[in-house]
Amino acid sequence: MTSKSLYFNLFREDGKRRHWSIALSFLLFFFTFPVRVALLLSNESKGEMDYKYMVSTLNEWLGFQNGLVAGFLILMSLIMGVSCFSYLHSRQKVDFYHGIPVSRKHLFWISYFQGIWIPGAVYGLNLLVTIGIAGVSGVPLMEISGTAFTGFALFILHYAMMYSLTVTSMVLTGNVVVGILGNLVLNFYSSCVILILELCFDTFFRTSYGGGGYFLSKWMDKTSPFVLFVTNVGRLYPGNPKGGQEIRIFAVFAVTVALALFSFWLYKKRGLEAAGKAMAFKISMPIIRIPIVILSALSGSVFFWSLHSSAGWSLFGLLCGTVVSHGVIEIIYHFDFRKLFSHWKQMVVSALLAAVVFCGFRYDLFGYDRYIPAENAIESVAVDVNNAFYWVDYGNPRKDAMGEYYWDYVNSGQYILDNMKLQDREAVMSLVKKAVARNQELNHGNDASYTRNTDGREYQFSVKYILKNGKSVYRSYWLPQIEAEQEIIDIFDNPDFIQTVYPILSQTKEDTAWVRLSRSGQTNIVSRDRNGTDKAMTEQLLLAYQEELRNLDAETMKRENPIATIQFMTKLQAEAEAKREELQSSWKYSEVASRGYYPVYPSFQKTLGLLRECGINTDVWTDWSDIRQISIDGVQYTSDSYRYGQRGFEIISITDQEEISRIMSQAIVEEYSSMNPFWERREEDLALFGVITGSGGSGQEVRYSVPLNALSEDVKAEMEKRKNEG
């Protein structure tokens, strides 16, 4: 039986031999925490920052979201893992350690916990000193201690995971350098596989959605401890509303325990003769080599395809990747150049497997681009017309635990596909069938790279099939406008589609505080709910706008374009805006308060009427009787930067009232043209101009664009003349 005193004496003596690692850890954490925080507090004492901002900064620095500390701990996990178990790679040290009257079990756990104890103790000590410095400087400890100790616990847990992986790589190998390389393989191999497969999806499949059909990237942090650590730093912080935080923490704990037990099991199985060899277990050699060679061969073939789009060059890349990777690994395994082509049969098998994968993508052997689910297997569908709603702010305003407001952003495509469930899918499936049929006209066997040759506009759209078996399938397609327009109109006229793509339609009266209007850079508060005084008007505006936006059809959007934008601020947005006004800051929370503007069309008569009741003169937006001059911008007809700066040279003025009326009848407000998904914008067919609306000090310049065919021949001739002069 091993005595407890001997066990702890050995633990203490082992720690004495690691003074250098203790010193390194102390220096890193000393300058990261006590010194950095002391500098921060000295700035606060000089009045260079407000108190709340200082406390918020302290919490960010001491909490789990500190990326610098994450980087230090990842580095330390490698250093400590190598130093604590490097004795396994020396015959003399192995004999010495195993000659000590302590069981191999205790030897392993002494070394293992030593690697966690040293950085943990140094980190904790410096954290206590830092909190003490903050307390002496007048910062209430309750405001920072919770975040600091939570950050400490999470960082040490994630460090233990990374450290355990390093220990595994050291036990698997018999050489320090090979052990470090093994650590890199265990950390990054799966991520490299996912990246290469995503590249293959994007390169060879014309219907791929987001690389790998949207599912591969979801596995990135589930297959790599390093990626899991980095991802958690961005997701596990106070105030983050996203669910699954407990699951992520438990996953880190489970991976740590599994790696530690696996390392211990390998340690017990490891023979004494393994020291000095590249790999401690012969059976692990092909298990590691074959997947690396397959990945290298596939990477080589895809790389040369991306350069020349040729099957011949892809074969060359595959052979290069196979031979080079197999040869290098064999040299590392045996420390002998003569072993370059040992196990050549495994090399050939690896090359063939890589070739099968490459051909599967290149020639679509499994029918990825031809896939259309059976009608009776579909529960519902979701469709995102790419770039049609890029201007919509998807997400929600949030307030974190430190009282800071922020916008919880959601990608537009992700939001639409995750929230839409269309039961009426006839138009969508018609589009899909047309797109798949067009894709089949393009032979996957051609070596020439594919280029779309279409005249005019084309629609790109992504579809999510929600199947009855619970599976979701993603695809992306494209079609020329002439083939897709009718189905696109039918989709835009679908109430379920509109309800999803415009989050304002789901906003409630209870969560609406202010209404703001914006036109040509000028923003006005139309209705502000102050103790309920404007509540009725705010609610009327919201309900009227929701009704008219919901009833906005494609034919109306073909005839009209927005003339202004309106924002229905949520209560949290209003809080952020009020706080910004209180702080008299032009930038504080601006990204929260400025989001959520929607277009106002001329046909929105209920909304325009209510705006008039609020004192907004909306008639002037469509009344051109006061316009005395149109000034066409000269940047359209000269590229000479010197002449462009001479305003007298570049402006073409139109003052004839009849021509002004004809132009304005076809003009649109340039600022809002992109908010209309049915507005076809061709820069070469448009003329940009400005007019002054209003009178006196309230006048403002509004920028318009108009088709060139709306201009008189004299004006077009003058533009051409100036262009030639420029």
Side-chain angles (χ1 to χ4, degrees):
M1 179 181 293
T2 305
S3 69
K4 292 183 179 180
S5 60
L6 181 59
Y7 177 85
F8 288 108
N9 285 337
L10 184 60
F11 190 88
R12 185 176 64 252
E13 291 300 320
D14 187 65
K16 289 180 180 180
R17 288 190 289 272
R18 308 196 190 283
H19 286 162
W20 67 271
S21 58
I22 296 174
L24 177 62
S25 301
F26 184 83
L27 284 174
L28 290 176
F29 287 111
F30 179 72
F31 283 99
T32 301
F33 288 117
V35 174
R36 174 67 179 85
V37 169
L39 289 172
L40 176 69
L41 294 173
S42 67
N43 290 334
E44 193 277 334
S45 65
K46 296 176 183 178
E48 297 180 9
M49 67 176 71
D50 62 78
Y51 174 78
K52 290 185 177 180
Y53 178 74
M54 181 267 296
V55 172
S56 174
T57 304
L58 276 176
N59 277 307
E60 289 180 2
W61 192 255
L62 299 176
F64 185 61
Q65 59 268 43
N66 191 326
L68 182 63
V69 175
F72 285 162
L73 289 175
I74 291 173
L75 177 62
M76 288 300 301
S77 69
L78 180 62
I79 293 173
M80 295 304 300
V82 171
S83 65
C84 289
F85 286 89
S86 61
Y87 75 89
L88 293 175
H89 302 156
S90 169
R91 290 283 182 90
Q92 293 80 5
K93 290 182 179 180
V94 168
D95 291 339
F96 170 75
Y97 273 87
H98 289 176
I100 299 174
V102 177
S103 67
R104 294 190 65 181
K105 170 184 174 182
H106 288 94
L107 276 174
F108 175 85
W109 293 116
I110 287 171
S111 298
Y112 178 83
F113 286 114
Q114 193 76 258
I116 297 177
W117 160 253
I118 290 175
V122 174
Y123 180 1
L125 177 62
N126 280 279
L127 193 63
L128 291 174
V129 172
T130 304
I131 293 175
I133 292 173
V136 171
S137 300
V139 179
L141 298 184
M142 294 298 295
E143 294 193 23
I144 62 172
S145 57
T147 301
F149 290 127
T150 300
F152 169 79
L154 289 174
F155 268 131
I156 293 302
L157 177 60
H158 285 75
Y159 164 83
M161 175 182 65
M162 297 295 297
Y163 168 76
S164 298
L165 188 69
T166 304
V167 172
T168 301
S169 66
M170 298 301 288
V171 177
L172 274 171
T173 60
N175 179 275
V176 172
V177 175
V178 178
I180 294 174
L181 293 175
N183 179 262
L184 296 177
V185 170
L186 295 177
N187 262 311
F188 298 107
Y189 178 81
S190 59
S191 300
C192 292
V193 169
I194 291 173
L195 292 175
I196 290 297
L197 290 178
E198 285 186 337
L199 181 60
C200 289
F201 272 95
D202 285 340
T203 301
F204 300 114
F205 291 153
R206 301 186 179 101
T207 63
S208 171
Y209 174 77
Y214 189 61
F215 66 89
L216 285 175
S217 58
K218 292 183 176 181
W219 287 93
M220 190 75 80
D221 61 348
K222 298 177 178 63
T223 55
S224 167
F226 175 83
V227 178
L228 178 60
F229 191 170
V230 173
T231 303
N232 284 355
V233 169
R235 295 189 181 183
L236 302 179
Y237 63 89
N240 191 341
K242 297 178 181 178
Q245 294 193 15
E246 296 81 2
I247 295 176
R248 286 185 166 275
I249 295 172
F250 177 77
V252 175
F253 176 78
V255 170
T256 303
V257 173
L259 287 173
L261 294 177
F262 180 61
S263 300
F264 177 60
W265 180 78
L266 290 175
Y267 182 84
K268 292 194 299 181
K269 298 292 183 181
R270 180 188 171 103
L272 299 179
E273 70 283 356
K277 295 182 178 180
M279 302 298 294
F281 302 92
K282 188 175 182 180
I283 192 175
S284 67
M285 296 170 72
I287 294 176
I288 294 174
R289 178 181 57 242
I290 292 175
I292 294 177
V293 173
I294 293 174
L295 178 62
S296 300
L298 181 60
S299 301
S301 61
V302 174
F303 173 75
F304 278 94
W305 172 267
S306 66
L307 294 179
H308 297 284
S309 300
S310 165
W313 278 106
S314 296
L315 177 61
F316 172 76
L318 185 142
L319 295 176
C320 286
T322 301
V323 173
V324 172
S325 61
H326 181 87
V328 169
I329 294 173
E330 288 293 359
I331 292 171
I332 292 174
Y333 278 174
H334 304 288
F335 304 119
D336 188 352
F337 279 94
R338 292 172 298 179
K339 298 290 186 177
L340 190 66
F341 293 108
S342 60
H343 302 98
W344 63 270
K345 293 181 180 179
Q346 294 181 16
M347 181 181 70
V348 172
V349 170
S350 300
L352 291 175
L353 291 174
V356 169
V357 175
F358 177 82
C359 291
F361 282 104
R362 175 65 190 88
Y363 300 105
D364 194 14
L365 299 180
F366 306 103
Y368 185 92
D369 280 342
R370 300 189 300 273
Y371 174 80
I372 301 177
E375 289 283 349
N376 58 3
I378 301 175
E379 180 72 29
S380 61
V381 298
V383 59
D384 171 36
V385 181
N386 296 18
N387 297 322
F389 306 103
Y390 75 91
W391 52 269
V392 180
D393 292 308
Y394 294 102
N396 292 285
R398 303 289 186 189
K399 186 177 181 181
D400 63 24
M402 280 91 75
E404 296 292 320
Y405 299 91
Y406 66 98
W407 186 267
D408 184 22
Y409 171 78
V410 178
N411 175 269
S412 60
Q414 176 185 342
Y415 176 91
I416 291 172
L417 296 183
D418 286 349
N419 290 277
M420 185 180 295
K421 293 183 179 180
L422 299 181
Q423 300 300 324
D424 182 4
R425 52 183 180 267
E426 181 179 352
V428 176
M429 297 308 296
S430 176
L431 279 178
V432 168
K433 291 174 183 176
K434 287 182 180 181
V436 170
R438 174 171 280 271
N439 280 337
Q440 295 314 302
E441 297 174 4
L442 307 168
N443 189 350
H444 275 271
N446 294 335
D447 282 350
S449 60
Y450 162 59
T451 302
R452 293 200 287 250
N453 294 312
T454 59
D455 295 325
R457 181 178 179 179
E458 66 180 33
Y459 285 106
Q460 298 179 356
F461 56 98
S462 302
V463 177
K464 174 185 177 183
Y465 305 101
I466 305 168
L467 306 182
K468 292 180 180 179
N469 61 8
K471 183 181 178 181
S472 295
V473 180
Y474 296 80
R475 290 291 190 274
S476 289
Y477 306 94
W478 73 274
L479 276 174
Q481 180 181 9
I482 191 172
E483 295 185 35
E485 186 168 17
Q486 185 55 54
E487 286 85 353
I488 293 293
I489 290 174
D490 293 341
I491 290 171
F492 272 77
D493 289 342
N494 188 325
D496 293 333
F497 176 84
I498 294 300
Q499 184 71 29
T500 302
V501 298
Y502 295 130
I504 186 63
L505 297 178
S506 302
Q507 187 166 319
T508 63
K509 298 182 295 182
E510 293 74 20
D511 192 37
T512 305
W514 299 359
V515 181
R516 289 200 298 195
L517 191 73
S518 177
R519 179 173 165 83
S520 299
Q522 293 191 0
T523 302
N524 300 300
I525 295 178
V526 176
S527 176
R528 189 197 304 242
D529 185 7
R530 290 174 172 166
N531 299 321
T533 55
D534 293 338
K535 183 177 182 182
M537 180 55 71
T538 300
E539 293 181 355
Q540 288 182 60
L541 277 166
L542 175 66
L543 295 177
Y545 184 80
Q546 287 177 331
E547 177 187 351
E548 292 182 314
L549 182 62
R550 192 176 286 113
N551 294 330
L552 180 66
D553 56 27
E555 292 302 322
T556 302
M557 287 186 280
K558 286 184 176 183
R559 297 191 309 268
E560 300 179 356
N561 270 283
I563 53 178
T565 56
I566 193 169
Q567 178 196 34
F568 296 90
M569 298 180 70
T570 65
K571 290 185 176 179
L572 210 55
Q573 282 181 294
E575 286 181 20
E577 178 67 9
K579 191 67 175 177
R580 188 160 72 106
E581 293 176 354
E582 177 187 332
L583 297 174
Q584 297 182 348
S585 171
S586 60
W587 61 269
K588 191 75 170 177
Y589 308 133
S590 60
E591 71 148 9
V592 177
S594 62
R595 292 182 182 271
Y597 280 92
Y598 287 85
V600 177
Y601 284 80
S603 58
F604 287 10
Q605 290 301 311
K606 289 184 179 180
T607 302
L608 294 173
L610 290 172
L611 290 174
R612 283 192 289 270
E613 290 184 30
C614 295
I616 304 298
N617 185 9
T618 61
D619 295 329
V620 73
W621 299 348
T622 54
D623 182 9
W624 311 310
S625 60
D626 290 337
I627 297 176
R628 297 290 178 261
Q629 177 178 303
I630 285 177
S631 302
I632 299 180
D633 197 341
V635 72
Q636 301 162 91
Y637 49 77
T638 180
S639 59
D640 191 317
S641 60
Y642 174 74
R643 289 185 169 185
Y644 175 61
Q646 302 175 15
R647 302 297 297 183
F649 171 82
E650 66 177 280
I651 296 299
I652 295 178
S653 298
I654 300 174
T655 57
D656 182 75
Q657 289 299 314
E658 183 178 344
E659 187 167 0
I660 288 175
S661 297
R662 184 177 66 254
I663 292 173
M664 293 304 297
S665 66
Q666 300 184 53
I668 67 169
V669 182
E670 178 66 18
E671 183 179 356
Y672 313 125
S673 61
S674 61
M675 302 179 90
N676 184 348
F678 289 93
W679 167 246
E680 295 185 41
R681 183 179 184 86
R682 291 173 178 262
E683 300 289 347
E684 65 276 11
D685 296 334
L686 293 176
L688 304 177
F689 65 92
V691 300
I692 303 297
T693 63
S695 60
S698 62
Q700 65 178 121
E701 182 178 11
V702 182
R703 303 290 294 171
Y704 288 86
S705 62
V706 68
L708 290 177
N709 59 19
L711 302 176
S712 67
E713 293 300 324
D714 292 342
V715 173
K716 286 189 283 188
E718 182 66 18
M719 290 180 67
E720 186 65 26
K721 174 184 175 183
R722 303 262 183 114
K723 181 178 180 181
N724 294 332
E725 291 176 356

